[in-house]
Amino acid sequence: MNQLLKTLTYNEDGLIPAIAQQHDTGEVLMLAWMNAASIEETLQTGQVCYYSRSRQTLWRKGETSGQVQKLIDFRIDCDSDSLLLLVDQTGVACHTGRRSCFYTAIRDGEPTEIAAPLISSEDLYGHNHS
Amino acid sequence: MNQLLKTLTYNEDGLIPAIAQQHDTGEVLMLAWMNAASIEETLQTGQVCYYSRSRQTLWRKGETSGQVQKLIDFRIDCDSDSLLLLVDQTGVACHTGRRSCFYTAIRDGEPTEIAAPLISSEDLYGHNHS
């Protein structure tokens, strides 16, 4: 484990980008960041843990919303500077209530929403977690 | 176009991470970086152009190897700080000759190659481009 964590190339903030992909459908759900501690926790627990750049702390995906990601496979790219996590996503990955964060596409040169929320933010996070 | 380029959130180096995914199979091929100029060129030409951090210049994917990526769809995430490019990849995406850059998986706690090259680097880049 320690050997693995050392072979990865982190940026100047100690982070590495991680793509989360639904393992069976192939849908790309989100891109987030991990540090060595979050990678270690993810591999040990089998539940995906990122590093939140805005909150500057470990981000146990789904801890508040319940929309957890079970790790199915952990992959590393040829330069060891990005990760691909095959996951089983409970519910939605996006904080907007959409399955994927990539719900905006360019249509006729303009950003256009191509997916609607499946659940409201209120239902996702509740009144106690606003 | 200019409006779109301004709505994206770039890092301190003016870059944004871009995931390339084969549009029909769902295979995640690679993660690379784009700047505003490479995004503009990609949307105008329909051929994916990244920004090479090592060479510090525009990187027209496949210019040397012929392994180009035709842009099928351009997607932006909820924070506007990462991109998902649905592409049609000619040949292989990885400079090692593998279809995807994510050919290393953790097996029994150890990094393990799970895909072999489909073409040699020599055949990819030729003697004049070593």
Side-chain angles (χ1 to χ4, degrees):
Chain A
M1 172 77 82
N2 285 338
Q3 187 61 33
L4 165 67
L5 295 175
K6 284 179 188 162
T7 64
L8 298 175
T9 300
Y10 305 91
N11 70 10
E12 63 275 15
D13 297 321
L15 303 177
I16 183 168
I19 304 158
Q21 181 181 33
Q22 176 65 27
H23 73 104
D24 47 3
T25 66
E27 186 176 21
V28 173
L29 301 169
M30 56 188 285
L31 184 144
W33 294 79
M34 302 180 93
N35 65 1
S38 71
I39 294 170
E40 194 168 9
E41 177 169 320
T42 297
L43 289 171
Q44 284 178 344
T45 65
Q47 296 287 332
V48 178
C49 173
Y50 298 105
Y51 181 84
S52 168
R53 295 179 299 173
S54 57
R55 291 186 281 116
Q56 301 197 348
T57 184
L58 291 184
W59 166 27
R60 294 179 179 92
K61 176 70 179 164
E63 192 173 36
T64 306
S65 66
Q67 316 286 289
V68 296
Q69 293 179 341
K70 179 183 174 190
L71 183 70
I72 305 294
D73 206 11
F74 185 99
R75 300 203 182 149
I76 305 163
D77 84 343
C78 52
D79 295 326
S80 299
D81 64 0
S82 59
L83 304 172
L84 173 63
L85 309 180
L86 297 183
V87 304
D88 192 13
Q89 170 74 55
T90 296
V92 299
C94 186
H95 74 288
T96 66
R98 293 169 176 89
R99 177 76 178 167
S100 165
C101 295
F102 294 98
Y103 57 82
T104 302
I106 304 300
R107 295 285 181 266
D108 297 326
E110 295 296 327
T112 306
E113 291 191 11
I114 58 171
L118 301 177
I119 181 173
S120 72
S121 291
E122 204 168 69
D123 284 340
L124 260 185
Y125 298 104
H127 294 291
N128 297 325
H129 303 283
S130 59
Chain B
M1 171 77 84
N2 284 339
Q3 188 61 35
L4 164 67
L5 295 175
K6 283 180 191 162
T7 64
L8 298 176
T9 299
Y10 305 91
N11 70 10
E12 64 274 14
D13 297 320
L15 302 176
I16 183 168
I19 303 158
Q21 181 181 32
Q22 176 64 29
H23 74 104
D24 46 4
T25 65
E27 186 176 20
V28 173
L29 300 168
M30 57 188 286
L31 184 145
W33 294 80
M34 302 181 93
N35 64 1
S38 71
I39 294 170
E40 193 169 9
E41 177 169 320
T42 296
L43 289 171
Q44 285 179 343
T45 65
Q47 296 288 330
V48 178
C49 173
Y50 298 106
Y51 181 84
S52 168
R53 295 178 300 172
S54 56
R55 290 186 282 116
Q56 301 198 349
T57 183
L58 291 184
W59 166 26
R60 294 179 179 92
K61 176 70 178 163
E63 192 174 35
T64 306
S65 65
Q67 316 287 289
V68 296
Q69 291 179 342
K70 180 183 173 187
L71 183 70
I72 304 296
D73 207 11
F74 185 100
R75 299 203 183 149
I76 305 164
D77 84 345
C78 52
D79 295 325
S80 300
D81 63 0
S82 59
L83 304 173
L84 174 62
L85 310 181
L86 298 183
V87 304
D88 192 12
Q89 170 74 55
T90 296
V92 300
C94 185
H95 74 288
T96 66
R98 292 169 176 88
R99 177 76 178 168
S100 165
C101 294
F102 294 97
Y103 58 84
T104 303
I106 305 299
R107 295 285 181 266
D108 298 325
E110 296 295 329
T112 306
E113 291 191 10
I114 58 170
L118 302 177
I119 181 174
S120 71
S121 290
E122 204 168 68
D123 284 341
L124 261 184
Y125 298 105
H127 293 290
N128 297 326
H129 302 285
S130 60

